[in-house]
Amino acid sequence: MEQLKHECGVAMIRLLKPLEYYGQKYGTWAWGFNKLYLMMEKQHNRGQEGAGIASVSLANKPGTEYMFREKAEGKDAITEIFSRVTAEMAGELLMGHLRYSTTGKSGLTFVHPFLRRNNWRAKNLCLCGNFNMTNIDEVFQFLTAQGQSPRIYSDTYITLELMGHRLDREVERLFAEAKQKGLEGLDVTQYIDDHVDMANVLKTTMQHYDGGYVICGLTGSGEMFAMRDPWGIRPAFYYRDTEIVALASERPVLQTTFNLQRENIHELKPGEALIVRHDGECHTEQILPPRQFSACSFERIYFSRGSDGDIYQERKRLGEQLTPTILQAINGETENTVFSYIPNTAEVAYCGMTDGFRQRGLNVRTEKVVWKDIKLRTFIADNSERNDLAAHVYDITYGSVRPYEDNLVIIDDSIVRGTTLRESIFKILDRLHPKKIVMVSSSPQIRYPDYYGIDMSHLEELCAFRAAIALIKERGMQQLLTEVYRKCKAEPLSTNHVRAIYAPFTLEDINRKIVEMLLPEGMQTPVELVFQSIEGLHTACPNHPGDWYFTGRYPTPGGMRLCNEAFVNYIEKTHI
């Protein structure tokens, strides 16, 4: 319902045959670019603020360009950049990126890929990624302590400079080695190209980072790589045969683009890198030891495409598991209840929910009650006008509910800030005059910010946190805020002290307070909230245990530190 932004989507292709092969077999020099375009369009859900592509030609001679990049902003960025592709950009190495910003930094400067130039082919480096680094301040200090002076303060650019520095050292090591072997001239260059060890570059770079990431890169000499964080927070999938190596953020992207079966596609393991040498040799290598496995559960609930077979079933289970709680909320009155969902991402959970009732031998009434009509236009700057327009993002099907007789159950995938509920959904549903509204979330209460790539960056934006703070004030428990503030200030890395804010309250306490805070003025219909349980989440998504936004159990020290710092900032800003 409330659009969350995700950083980001990646796509990579390495053509293993000469370029002429693809033109002869598939009838176009642009076959690789066409596949890259499809991979990016199939991941458009992962980023609509900007997009970029890069290519490397292994055949181009000195004096001609061999490394190309195109970037654009906006939701039509993919179409724009591919309209600029020409035959001279054809290359064996192709990379694409879709961007959502989670840092507040926007503009073409921050659109991936980032490119570092050098007259030595092997020292040219192009990077993109799906990541958010939680310790970028420390990495920046590490770089500047070495005498470097990055021109842009962003995790991508700083990573580019750090990895570029390590790539320089690798090339210089090989240069000295070649000289010791008595090589001269172009033989030195060939020796370097043949012996670059990207695993070494990655090991000496990524050991400094805390965060969730899939980082991808190309070099001018033809090295290609993608690495997943050691906690397995962010996802990546790859495929290889005799013609190509391809990698994407989501499995169905590869299945659809290359007409593959699921079993042909492999998931990159935590701390592992996929490395394709300039000669086409491909292998995976463990770069960092795997840590506590924390694959992001929100990928399964919301972000990844529901066309993935596993994700589809998991989302159905998330809905089905809620049926007992929903039955309790409507006092078992299924014959006087209409069931619906918030389009479009909650539809699969809705199917699971209705299946759950049918498995219990209950025939339920289903209607498409809510329609999504328009997007909020950002050029309207006045808050009152913005809120008025937000109220019309959704519309309802009049006559779908019997006034004052029917309960109305609406399922959504998540409730984060509650803004859309207050400004739109509750207002329009009230017009139908149901006896009761049961608002269902297929995910648990979101209580904590995410620092690994989703824009849940401020505690006070989360309706569950605001509800807990309101209850603390009502019950005269301000001393708890003081104590948590003191601990966050003194021990920002030891544990997530913010969890203590919720400890005095039951799930139902928080639910009731959220409803009270989100109900529009004058609304008459009673509302009850039903959230997925933590246990239900892990039952439905057993292979993705990362649940920090619900439980506060951050897998990395950087996540805990940033959450504690967010609470300190909140207290100091509000002067509680």
Side-chain angles (χ1 to χ4, degrees):
M1 182 199 307
E2 300 165 271
Q3 184 186 36
L4 294 176
K5 297 177 182 179
H6 188 285
E7 191 171 357
C8 298
V10 296
M12 302 185 81
I13 297 175
R14 173 60 157 91
L15 302 177
L16 300 176
K17 305 284 188 182
L19 291 180
E20 297 78 14
Y21 169 90
Y22 303 92
Q24 292 171 4
K25 182 172 180 177
Y26 298 107
T28 173
W29 64 267
W31 183 84
F33 278 116
N34 290 343
K35 293 300 185 182
L36 186 68
Y37 171 79
L38 283 174
M39 292 173 70
M40 293 176 69
E41 280 290 1
K42 294 295 180 183
Q43 296 183 100
H44 213 160
N45 54 299
R46 303 185 72 89
Q48 296 182 27
E49 288 186 2
I53 60 173
S55 66
V56 174
S57 169
L58 299 178
N60 288 11
K61 303 298 182 184
T64 61
E65 183 59 84
Y66 53 87
M67 202 165 190
F68 303 88
R69 179 184 60 168
E70 292 288 343
K71 303 195 296 182
E73 290 185 272
K75 62 182 180 62
D76 297 321
I78 298 176
T79 302
E80 182 178 341
I81 55 178
F82 278 94
S83 70
R84 301 181 202 152
V85 170
T86 61
E88 68 176 8
M89 295 172 62
E92 292 85 354
L93 287 77
L94 305 173
M95 181 166 72
H97 184 267
L98 297 126
R99 182 177 193 264
Y100 265 139
S101 168
T102 62
T103 62
K105 295 178 179 178
S106 59
L108 198 61
T109 300
F110 297 97
V111 174
H112 302 200
F114 278 38
L115 179 59
R116 190 176 192 259
R117 291 290 198 179
N118 195 283
N119 248 13
W120 288 77
R121 286 187 71 134
K123 289 186 177 182
N124 283 268
L125 179 63
C126 194
L127 284 187
C128 74
N130 170 17
F131 58 78
N132 199 46
M133 305 302 189
T134 60
N135 67 330
I136 200 63
D137 291 346
E138 290 88 340
V139 178
F140 181 79
Q141 291 166 9
F142 173 77
L143 270 177
T144 54
Q146 294 181 324
Q148 297 192 54
S149 185
R151 295 181 294 107
I152 300 172
Y153 193 92
S154 75
D155 49 6
T156 313
Y157 188 80
I158 290 170
T159 303
L160 177 76
E161 289 301 327
L162 177 55
M163 191 175 294
H165 173 70
R166 299 312 312 171
L167 181 60
D168 288 349
R169 300 290 81 79
E170 173 70 8
V171 172
E172 288 157 11
R173 177 186 71 82
L174 292 171
F175 180 86
E177 202 172 273
K179 284 294 189 180
Q180 287 178 352
K181 293 179 178 294
L183 300 178
E184 297 291 340
L186 293 179
D187 289 338
V188 173
T189 302
Q190 189 63 50
Y191 183 85
I192 292 171
D193 290 351
D194 289 342
H195 292 85
V196 168
D197 186 354
M198 285 308 302
N200 185 46
V201 174
L202 289 169
K203 287 173 183 175
T204 54
T205 302
M206 302 314 296
Q207 64 180 339
H208 298 285
Y209 283 96
D210 180 300
Y213 57 83
V214 170
I215 189 159
C216 305
L218 311 173
T219 73
S221 59
E223 305 290 318
M224 183 177 101
F225 61 88
M227 180 185 168
R228 189 180 186 189
D229 67 83
W231 298 271
I233 295 171
R234 298 268 68 87
F237 298 84
Y238 67 93
Y239 166 77
R240 57 182 172 181
D241 60 22
T242 58
E243 290 187 352
I244 62 161
V245 178
L247 178 136
S249 295
E250 299 185 28
R251 180 168 52 196
V253 172
L254 296 172
Q255 288 182 260
T256 301
T257 302
F258 298 102
N259 190 25
L260 302 173
Q261 297 300 311
R262 168 201 168 100
E263 56 268 22
N264 300 130
I265 298 169
H266 306 280
E267 185 170 6
L268 206 58
K269 296 174 184 176
E272 187 178 62
L274 174 70
I275 298 174
V276 187
R277 300 293 316 281
H278 84 112
D279 61 1
E281 185 273 326
C282 176
H283 69 281
T284 57
E285 186 163 343
Q286 197 69 40
I287 302 301
L288 295 176
R291 308 289 291 273
Q292 173 191 348
F293 184 60
S294 302
C296 173
S297 59
F298 229 86
E299 287 277 351
R300 321 301 282 183
I301 297 167
Y302 180 86
F303 286 115
S304 295
R305 293 169 65 86
S307 57
D308 181 283
D310 288 347
I311 292 174
Y312 181 79
Q313 294 301 325
E314 289 169 15
R315 290 181 183 176
K316 286 192 72 174
R317 284 197 294 271
L318 287 168
E320 188 276 330
Q321 290 171 172
L322 289 163
T323 52
T325 313
I326 296 169
L327 273 172
Q328 185 177 357
I330 61 174
N331 296 316
E333 298 179 359
T334 53
E335 69 279 6
N336 293 323
T337 301
V338 172
F339 295 85
S340 193
Y341 63 97
I342 301 294
N344 294 315
T345 53
E347 186 173 2
V348 179
Y350 165 75
C351 292
M353 177 185 70
T354 54
D355 281 354
F357 285 112
R358 294 186 182 104
Q359 290 165 14
R360 289 165 171 80
L362 299 170
N363 292 318
V364 294
R365 294 166 53 201
T366 59
E367 304 284 356
K368 185 166 184 179
V369 175
V370 181
W371 299 78
K372 190 168 186 179
D373 275 353
I374 60 172
K375 292 183 179 179
L376 180 64
R377 301 300 181 186
T378 56
F379 58 78
I380 298 179
D382 181 79
N383 285 338
S384 62
E385 292 180 351
R386 188 182 293 270
N387 288 340
D388 180 65
L389 189 56
H392 298 281
V393 169
Y394 292 92
D395 206 346
I396 50 172
T397 303
Y398 291 93
S400 57
V401 173
R402 294 177 298 188
Y404 309 108
E405 293 184 35
D406 289 334
N407 300 306
L408 178 56
V409 174
I410 300 285
I411 190 168
D412 194 13
D413 47 44
S414 59
I415 299 172
V416 186
R417 302 173 184 89
T419 307
T420 309
L421 286 178
R422 184 182 63 248
E423 299 296 338
S424 179
I425 297 296
F426 284 158
K427 289 180 179 179
I428 63 172
L429 294 181
D430 195 39
R431 297 175 195 163
L432 296 173
H433 305 297
K435 183 169 62 175
K436 180 181 184 181
I437 296 171
V438 179
M439 191 71 216
V440 181
S441 169
S442 67
S443 70
Q445 286 180 357
I446 295 173
R447 297 182 168 192
Y448 306 91
D450 178 77
Y451 297 108
Y452 306 120
I454 306 170
D455 69 339
M456 307 171 190
S457 55
H458 301 290
L459 279 165
E460 60 269 29
E461 291 181 354
L462 307 177
C463 59
F465 177 81
R466 298 198 307 272
I469 295 295
L471 288 169
I472 287 170
K473 292 180 182 179
E474 284 178 8
R475 301 184 185 184
M477 301 168 63
Q478 282 87 341
Q479 182 59 34
L480 175 60
L481 298 178
T482 303
E483 182 64 19
V484 172
Y485 172 78
R486 183 189 64 77
K487 288 182 177 180
C488 289
K489 196 88 168 169
E491 306 171 72
L493 282 176
S494 62
T495 188
N496 179 9
H497 301 293
V498 184
R499 297 181 69 189
I501 293 297
Y502 297 96
F505 311 114
T506 66
L507 180 68
E508 291 71 25
D509 288 336
I510 302 291
N511 283 354
R512 284 192 292 269
K513 182 52 67 174
I514 291 174
V515 170
E516 181 183 317
M517 294 167 59
L518 296 184
L519 280 187
E521 185 178 352
M523 182 172 175
Q524 300 300 312
T525 308
V527 175
E528 183 174 341
L529 290 181
V530 170
F531 283 92
Q532 183 70 248
S533 67
I534 299 297
E535 296 76 17
L537 168 71
H538 292 309
T539 299
C541 310
N543 300 318
H544 289 74
D547 62 3
W548 50 90
Y549 9 71
F550 311 122
T551 65
R553 295 192 291 255
Y554 292 93
T556 78
M560 289 188 291
R561 175 179 58 81
L562 290 176
C563 189
N564 290 331
E565 288 179 358
F567 186 79
V568 169
N569 293 338
Y570 168 74
I571 293 294
E572 293 179 350
K573 184 167 57 179
T574 54
H575 305 290
I576 294 178

